[in-house]
Amino acid sequence: MKSRNLVAFLTLALCGTALAWQFNISTLGLTQKDIETRVAGALRDGSSELQAPWLMPAGRKAALALSEADRAAAVQTIGAAIKTFVTSEAFQKSHAESIRLSHKAVDHGIKVYSQEEALKMAMNPKPGVDPMGDMQKQLMAQGVMQLRAMPIESLKAMFDDSLKSWTRKAQTATNPKTKARAQKMAARAQEIQPWITSKPDEFKKAYSVLYSMDNDGPETDEELVKLANKGKLEEEQRAFNEHNWKPVLKKKLEVVVKEAASVDFAAQTTEAGGRRKFVNPAYERKSGIWKAMFRAGKAPTTAAVEFSKAWLKEL
């Protein structure tokens, strides 16, 4: 079993294992490669969740033998080592490739709004700014473009239904603009109908444009492709903004600061059922990180918080 969270390695310092960066970590059942692998995995999980580290019995015994002062001094040592690794070009390239494959996350260097930001702006609209509406248009365009990948037999059935609808509207619509639009679409549909067998690829492209028009989207192939591609780029950028190592790291460091603030270092414990438990049952329900900080002591926990706060200012 291995911890998957980056800040668990700050907690390794709290639990007395951080001197692994300065001494032979094989005595703790760890290698530097193990630690780097776990750090990388911690940033890929994308959550703010923290897990207490796990060591083999011999390693845990060696860790517990360290004094609280040594643990506190070691926090900065392991923190600096982690920071050097995470900010290295090699790690950042590897992480970017990992989230590209797992989340379709790519940094295009463009400004995008998160869904939460878009919702807030929808509640308080500004003239000329409608990110939620833009997202919906882009998703529609991407969906329309998928018609071009459908089998021609399936697309023909959809086209037949569309042609019937446009022909009916062209004959019965009472609104002049609606009637004229339907007449235009019905005429174009009849024009491309023979392409189903003679030029299937051209038919798919032409029908997708008509389908876009019918859904209040772009009315030319160029505009449709441009909007669909824009939506794809923004989705990839939005995913990158969420899963890049910086926002993930920030969430985890914030949890360290928050959890540390509530640790009761004077809490009483007792032996029960072969294991040590808190006298206060509420403390038994605390997170593994909270308990790891309690076991480590106030000095190393304070050092971890100081390190976390300092790094947070840089993110």
Side-chain angles (χ1 to χ4, degrees):
M1 175 179 178
K2 293 184 177 180
S3 168
R4 297 178 58 208
N5 293 295
L6 170 67
V7 187
F9 288 94
L10 293 177
T11 312
L12 281 176
L14 301 178
C15 297
T17 66
L19 292 181
W21 286 100
Q22 295 177 312
F23 298 98
N24 186 348
I25 60 178
S26 64
T27 58
L28 301 173
L30 296 171
T31 66
Q32 184 163 328
K33 183 64 176 178
D34 288 335
I35 294 176
E36 292 182 356
T37 299
R38 296 183 195 182
V39 171
L43 288 178
R44 284 196 300 268
D45 77 5
S47 73
S48 61
E49 180 184 359
L50 302 178
Q51 297 175 1
W54 182 89
L55 291 172
M56 295 292 288
R60 182 174 177 79
K61 183 177 180 180
L64 293 174
L66 295 173
S67 69
E68 183 172 335
D70 284 339
R71 298 171 194 169
V75 168
Q76 294 298 331
T77 301
I78 191 171
I82 292 174
K83 187 174 181 181
T84 298
F85 171 66
V86 170
T87 56
S88 69
E89 183 179 358
F91 166 76
Q92 292 182 16
K93 284 185 176 180
S94 174
H95 182 76
E97 177 63 11
S98 174
I99 61 176
R100 183 187 70 82
L101 295 173
S102 59
H103 299 288
K104 297 181 179 179
V106 182
D107 185 14
H108 297 292
I110 58 178
K111 168 65 178 177
V112 295
Y113 296 99
S114 68
Q115 291 189 356
E116 291 77 11
E117 290 172 330
L119 285 171
K120 287 181 181 179
M121 295 182 74
M123 298 295 290
N124 298 282
K126 296 180 180 179
V129 181
D130 184 15
M132 184 60 72
D134 291 342
M135 284 184 194
Q136 292 173 344
K137 290 177 183 178
Q138 292 161 9
L139 288 172
M140 182 279 295
Q142 291 175 38
V144 171
M145 289 296 291
Q146 292 176 6
L147 295 179
R148 301 183 181 190
M150 291 177 59
I152 193 66
E153 295 79 10
S154 300
L155 209 56
K156 180 182 181 303
M158 285 184 62
F159 173 79
D160 290 341
D161 288 340
S162 295
L163 179 55
K164 290 177 183 178
S165 174
W166 298 330
T167 300
R168 184 174 61 254
K169 287 181 182 179
Q171 296 171 347
T172 63
T174 57
N175 183 289
K177 290 184 66 175
T178 302
K179 188 179 186 71
R181 182 183 178 85
Q183 289 173 339
K184 178 181 177 181
M185 295 177 69
R188 177 57 175 165
Q190 290 170 354
E191 181 182 336
I192 68 173
Q193 191 172 28
W195 296 359
I196 295 175
T197 53
S198 63
K199 296 187 292 184
D201 289 339
E202 289 297 314
F203 167 78
K204 290 181 179 182
K205 182 185 295 186
Y207 176 50
S208 66
V209 173
L210 284 174
Y211 193 90
S212 171
M213 292 174 61
D214 199 29
N215 287 274
D216 299 321
E219 299 187 6
T220 68
D221 178 65
E222 181 180 4
E223 292 174 341
L224 176 60
V225 172
K226 182 179 180 180
L227 182 59
N229 287 342
K230 181 181 179 183
K232 179 176 179 293
L233 294 180
E234 291 193 358
E235 279 188 1
E236 290 176 345
Q237 184 69 56
R238 200 169 286 110
F240 181 85
N241 292 352
E242 179 182 355
H243 296 285
N244 188 30
W245 66 270
K246 280 189 177 182
V248 177
L249 171 63
K250 184 177 179 180
K251 288 189 292 186
K252 294 180 186 297
L253 292 178
E254 287 172 344
V255 170
V256 169
V257 175
K258 181 180 179 180
E259 287 286 283
S262 67
V263 177
D264 179 3
F265 293 103
Q268 299 297 307
T269 61
T270 185
E271 194 78 23
R275 60 184 292 266
R276 185 157 292 279
K277 300 178 65 175
F278 288 101
V279 173
N280 185 340
Y283 291 163
E284 281 299 310
R285 296 189 291 273
K286 293 291 186 180
S287 69
I289 292 300
W290 191 98
K291 293 175 181 177
M293 290 177 174
F294 169 82
R295 290 192 299 269
K298 188 172 184 177
T301 299
T302 299
V305 169
E306 290 174 351
F307 176 87
S308 298
K309 286 183 177 179
W311 202 352
L312 280 168
K313 289 181 180 179
E314 300 176 18
L315 296 176

